[in-house]
Amino acid sequence: MSEAASTGRESLTSGIRALLPFAQGARASFALAALIAAAAAFLGLVPYWVINEAIGIALTPELSQESLWLLAGFALAAVVGRFACEGIATFIAHRGAFQIQYDVRLALARHLAALPLGKVTRRRSGELKKVMADDVERLELFLAHAIPDTVAAVLTVVALATWMVLIDWRLALATYILIVPAFACIALGMRRAGMHMTEYRETQAQMNASIVELLRGMAVVKMFNRDADEVRGTESTIARYIEVVRGYSLDFLPYGTGFYVLLGANAAILIPLAGWLWHTNSISTQTVLFFLIVGLGALATVNALLYLFANLSHIASGGAIVRDVLAEPALESSNAVAEHGIEPRVEFDGVWFRYENAWVLEDVSFSAAPSELTALVGPSGGGKSTVAALIGRFFDPERGEIRIGGHPLARLGNDTLNRQVSMVLQETFLFDDSIAGNLRVARADATDAELVRACEQACIHDTIAALSDGYATVVGERGVRLSGGERQRLTIARAILADAPIVVLDEATAFVDPENEHAIQQAISELVRGRTVIMVAHRLSTVRGADQILVLDQGSIVERGDHDELVARNGLYAQLWQDFNVARATGLRAERP
């Protein structure tokens, strides 16, 4: 057995098992849908009975018109009843499928919210979009139709086969003998198709991510005239996806075709056998006509099962991603510490952390005291933003401990931690909502006056007031209607509004224009009052007045002290300060010929 085959079958079975717990809440709906579908199946047999009876009447010397009209009425009533039952069964199955769709998406959303943010961002957006949108949508469509269609098909086949055996077991055997190799064929097709599921899932996620990246980076693509190159890159991922789908389809095609051929090939057995039995007077003319009319189409209802089998691998693939996402360990929180009375002191004690194999932080220890500003500076890649991320518990350290008020982060509980720590990141994010709505993400019950006060402190109120709709202005997706500096000041206002005792600023002033830089410094000074503020900064002018400056290089704290002390030591910080001043004094001049 090849590793690919084993992986494919495991993906198929385990993917389906991953979805079973979500079906618990919809079992009643599916059971009722199956019951009504069974009634529809039996009503579907009435026209076959009518055909048999009509043949018998037609073969009698005296044709009874009244009996034929009565049979026609039975057939019409059965057809109407059958489609009415099928419609009701499908509606109920849809309701159950929608419930499962809701439960799966809600479970994924809740689990993603409980995961460390770093684990979420490591997953490609295309893959998460695929499972939460495409795969869950396909699951609903599959369940809504598969339950009633499968029950109806199976019951029709079983009931019709039983009836045919009672009429003539030989012709019944000829009618259904090919159903066994037909299902063996489709089982082999599923096995072969399942071998492609992992690769199919990966290439589809890569294609989705590539397309999303191309659209998000379109401005940069056009700016540097990279249209053709970037489109070719996206084209290659699409071509790879098409290649995988083609391979999957070609592997499944012979078996799917064989399934259809075998279901329709019973005529090659049934017609000669029926003719020979009739010629030898072993069966009646009525029986021959019944099997030739009904028997030749008896397996048509089984075709509905091909939809089930053809989509089973896709459903299992989505289920495998659901399983993988839900298997990611969430942040452990004991909520053992009361929220009130926690001192806003942040302590790192021998913290080590790595993203993959290389250590990003090595034995980092420091304490950030209340009512003080602690600045993290140093060369790019030194670990500054990682320190900020660990305080927000985007990740947990591999060694050492991070404490707030003397309590390990895991004992605070996620809700308590989020109320203790407010973060302003370099990459700002705003919802496609009004300015007021984005601000109230921090505090849903904030009054209009509190919004204004926070924005005044962040030096963004005058800008907002100048807009035609003021605080009701919709900022657009990711805040596209605001400038970079305006978005950043709005997120600072949001942090002020949250009123958390600990504030982490990760390059929060990166896009602030020079005319507002002094005002932002005043806003940060206001934040410091009674709070622990930890600021990651490259612009050293913003941290000159910090109570404590930590210089990180290659994952370690190499210097610590205030600005004057560090400049006097003539170490790495002094070099960074000198480079900063040189860069600030340097202007751009056009070289004259």
Side-chain angles (χ1 to χ4, degrees), residues 138-335:
R138 186 184 286 121
L139 173 65
E140 179 271 321
L141 292 171
F142 169 78
L143 289 173
H145 294 281
I147 299 297
D149 291 353
T150 303
V151 169
V154 171
L155 286 180
T156 299
V157 169
V158 172
L160 197 55
T162 303
W163 185 19
M164 287 183 173
V165 168
L166 295 176
I167 295 175
D168 190 281
W169 68 269
R170 296 162 297 182
L171 293 180
L173 181 61
T175 300
Y176 287 99
I177 193 170
L178 294 179
I179 200 171
V180 174
F183 275 93
C185 192
I186 201 66
L188 289 173
M190 285 178 58
R191 180 180 180 183
R192 292 297 299 268
M195 294 167 59
H196 293 270
M197 281 300 103
T198 299
E199 188 179 21
Y200 167 81
R201 184 179 70 189
E202 291 175 352
T203 53
Q204 188 177 50
Q206 290 168 3
M207 179 186 68
N208 288 342
S210 180
I211 292 173
V212 169
E213 189 174 64
L214 175 65
L215 294 176
R216 286 181 176 174
M218 188 59 68
V220 176
V221 170
K222 290 188 173 297
M223 185 186 306
F224 293 100
N225 197 27
R226 299 286 296 178
D227 305 55
D229 294 331
E230 294 301 323
V231 169
R232 273 197 301 270
T234 303
E235 182 183 13
S236 66
T237 62
I238 296 173
R240 175 59 182 154
Y241 170 73
I242 292 173
E243 180 183 344
V244 171
V245 172
R246 183 184 292 114
Y248 157 79
S249 301
L250 290 176
D251 268 3
F252 183 78
L253 183 62
Y255 300 98
T257 303
F259 178 78
Y260 278 118
V261 169
L262 289 170
L263 289 183
N266 62 350
I269 302 173
L270 180 59
I271 293 175
L273 179 60
W276 179 76
L277 291 174
W278 180 78
H279 184 72
T280 57
N281 294 320
S282 298
I283 55 175
S284 66
T285 302
Q286 180 180 359
T287 300
V288 171
L289 292 176
F290 173 76
F291 272 92
L292 292 181
I293 295 173
V294 177
L296 291 178
L299 299 183
T301 54
V302 184
N303 291 339
L305 298 180
L306 185 60
Y307 172 85
L308 169 68
F309 293 127
N311 285 275
L312 203 55
S313 295
H314 293 286
I315 300 303
S317 175
I321 303 179
V322 172
R323 175 203 63 199
D324 293 344
V325 172
L326 295 180
E328 290 274 14
L331 289 171
E332 296 182 5
S333 298
S334 63
N335 290 304

